[in-house]
Amino acid sequence: MKPLQRVQEQFSADIIETHAFRGDETAIIRPSSLLAIAKFLKETPELDFNFLMDLTAVDYLFYAGGRIQKEFRFEVVYHFFSLKHNHRIRLKVPVDEKSPEVDTLCNLWASANWYEREVWDMYGIKFKGHPDLRRILMYEEFVGHALRKDYPVNKRQPLIGPQN
Amino acid sequence: MSFLSSPTNFFTSKLNDALGWARKFSIFQYPFVTACCGMEYMATNCSHYDQDRFGAGFPRFSPRQSDVLFVVGTISHKMAPVLKTVHDQMCDPKWVVAFGVCTCTGGFYDNYSTVMGIDTIIPVDIYIPGCPPRPENVLDGLMKLQDKIQKGEQSRTLYDPRTKIGRPAELAQGYTIEGHIKHIESVS
């Protein structure tokens, strides 16, 4: 059975939408169910997703030139891989602009720690329960989040030197 | 006439020449390598092009023992205070080479993270643009640096982005998103 089917059976109420493109299976899930689904993916023997390959986010402000309005501004994207079974799954969690916060996966995959710090640094999405949520790429003096689509492309915040 | 009794101005000018000659063939360089330009820098240092022919083959990884600061690769705003500290730690006389277009003007970067030319932070003597510059280009820059060292010249001024003074005219324009869009429109 495909991993996506397994998840759909187990968590039918928490899945907003699914799609598969050339074997890349994706599930868009409710934020409240993230921890439960992640734990299920990791700890079920026939799924055994032991590798968090990537964790990133997307800002859908001005998406498609502003023609497409999404219900939620952000999406946090998780890519999982099983070294044992050689299969993959992608989870997407919609995140609200007013309270950008999702649960941390640090307790399940240690690699989530730095990924989540990067997402916080670049998009300003908080991770509830993260042990050390600091900026990872930018300096502490930096104000704002650089990859948000409303961050001005020409805005500079140099530590030394002119505002060039 | 003995050597010491010669006129003072004649004697010192010849001494400076001798010092310049000695300095230009014993360049102790500090390679501040941060990005992809480092590969071309290594190619220049290896046997095929061999920077050592110009007396510049021996990198010192301590700023206090080096004469020339080679800034090789993109400098981000987070790295800028480190670069300034390294430059401050070098003893006079010192020279700075901007290696690659990112260090000259910021290159194609025009964003939140990149310093738009290291000459806004530290004075630059030789600009070697290119993305990355070919080894021939680097050796040409090195020879121009040797001329400068021979003459005893050092750059002391910074580039001011508001007045646009302090950078060679060829580089003064730099990269802008507006300019890039204009270029795309003119080509298509």
Side-chain angles (χ1 to χ4, degrees):
Chain A
M1 193 188 280
K2 291 269 181 69
L4 187 62
Q5 277 176 296
R6 230 12 250 286
V7 175
Q8 267 176 311
E9 273 175 22
Q10 195 79 19
F11 297 93
S12 56
D14 295 319
I15 289 175
I16 302 166
E17 192 190 320
T18 63
H19 59 260
F21 178 73
R22 292 186 177 168
D24 280 350
E25 298 173 330
T26 306
I28 302 171
I29 61 169
R30 291 189 203 290
S32 55
S33 66
L34 172 67
L35 269 184
I37 293 180
K39 207 171 159 89
F40 176 75
L41 289 177
K42 188 173 185 202
E43 290 173 2
T44 310
E46 63 266 36
L47 296 178
D48 195 21
F49 283 100
N50 53 358
F51 185 8
L52 173 61
M53 296 198 77
D54 197 12
L55 194 169
T56 185
V58 186
D59 183 357
Y60 284 107
L61 193 73
F62 314 132
Y63 181 51
R67 290 189 300 278
I68 299 172
Q69 288 292 320
K70 285 242 180 187
E71 194 181 345
F72 295 99
R73 179 172 166 184
F74 300 104
E75 251 172 18
V76 181
V77 186
Y78 302 86
H79 288 212
F80 298 104
F81 178 61
S82 167
L83 288 163
K84 191 174 174 194
H85 302 296
N86 191 21
H87 58 204
R88 294 159 200 275
I89 194 168
R90 181 192 296 134
L91 295 186
K92 289 184 174 183
V93 181
V95 179
D96 192 12
E97 186 181 355
K98 290 195 187 72
S99 59
E101 192 169 56
V102 290
D103 289 313
T104 180
L105 295 188
C106 284
N107 302 322
L108 292 164
W109 289 272
S111 61
N113 190 318
W114 283 16
Y115 284 135
E116 288 175 354
R117 280 176 64 188
E118 188 193 357
V119 170
W120 156 249
D121 193 356
M122 291 291 143
Y123 294 93
I125 296 169
K126 285 182 192 144
F127 289 88
K128 214 187 295 168
H130 192 286
D132 182 27
L133 196 63
R134 284 180 295 133
R135 288 185 183 278
I136 191 168
L137 295 171
M138 301 309 291
Y139 31 94
E140 285 300 321
E141 293 85 345
F142 194 84
V143 180
H145 302 282
L147 289 193
R148 283 192 172 194
K149 293 296 174 195
D150 52 2
Y151 187 89
V153 71
N154 289 320
K155 190 176 173 189
R156 305 274 185 270
Q157 301 182 41
L159 289 171
I160 58 167
Q163 293 275 344
N164 55 345
Chain B
M1 195 167 76
S2 81
F3 188 60
L4 283 173
S5 66
S6 62
T8 316
N9 58 350
F10 170 76
F11 180 76
T12 51
S13 73
K14 283 295 162 203
L15 179 66
N16 281 344
D17 276 1
L19 271 178
W21 178 85
R23 278 177 183 150
K24 77 173 180 179
F25 290 119
S26 64
I27 297 170
F28 281 31
Q29 40 172 318
Y30 182 93
F32 196 92
V33 180
T34 54
C36 35
C37 271
M39 302 311 292
E40 215 67 15
Y41 173 77
M42 287 174 227
T44 315
N45 244 344
C46 287
S47 53
H48 192 87
Y49 291 96
D50 195 10
Q51 262 191 352
D52 214 0
R53 292 180 294 154
F54 303 89
F58 189 35
R60 304 299 300 229
F61 293 102
S62 160
R64 297 189 198 280
Q65 298 160 358
S66 40
D67 313 308
V68 177
L69 178 61
F70 265 74
V71 187
V72 184
T74 322
I75 299 296
S76 62
H77 285 305
K78 196 176 180 179
M79 190 55 114
V82 180
L83 178 65
K84 180 87 175 77
T85 308
V86 166
H87 183 257
D88 288 347
Q89 284 174 337
M90 287 170 66
C91 302
D92 260 330
K94 58 187 173 187
W95 292 269
V96 177
V97 174
F99 187 117
V101 77
C102 290
T103 54
C104 294
T105 65
F108 57 71
Y109 293 106
D110 187 8
N111 61 16
Y112 61 93
S113 65
T114 309
V115 176
M116 304 302 276
I118 58 163
D119 49 6
T120 57
I121 305 166
I122 55 175
V124 173
D125 292 281
I126 297 290
Y127 297 84
I128 308 176
C131 187
R134 280 195 59 82
E136 294 91 331
N137 212 341
V138 180
L139 294 181
D140 183 51
L142 191 66
M143 273 143 62
K144 287 192 168 71
L145 176 70
Q146 285 183 322
D147 289 348
K148 218 169 169 178
I149 294 174
Q150 173 73 67
K151 287 178 194 154
E153 291 171 359
Q154 268 174 272
S155 175
R156 298 280 185 195
T157 53
L158 296 177
Y159 172 65
D160 187 345
R162 274 155 302 191
T163 58
K164 302 209 181 296
I165 294 170
R167 189 180 276 177
E170 294 89 334
L171 294 170
Q173 179 56 40
Y175 174 88
T176 58
I177 285 176
E178 293 78 24
H180 184 70
I181 292 167
K182 210 179 278 178
H183 171 73
I184 297 279
E185 281 168 355
S186 70
V187 171
S188 58

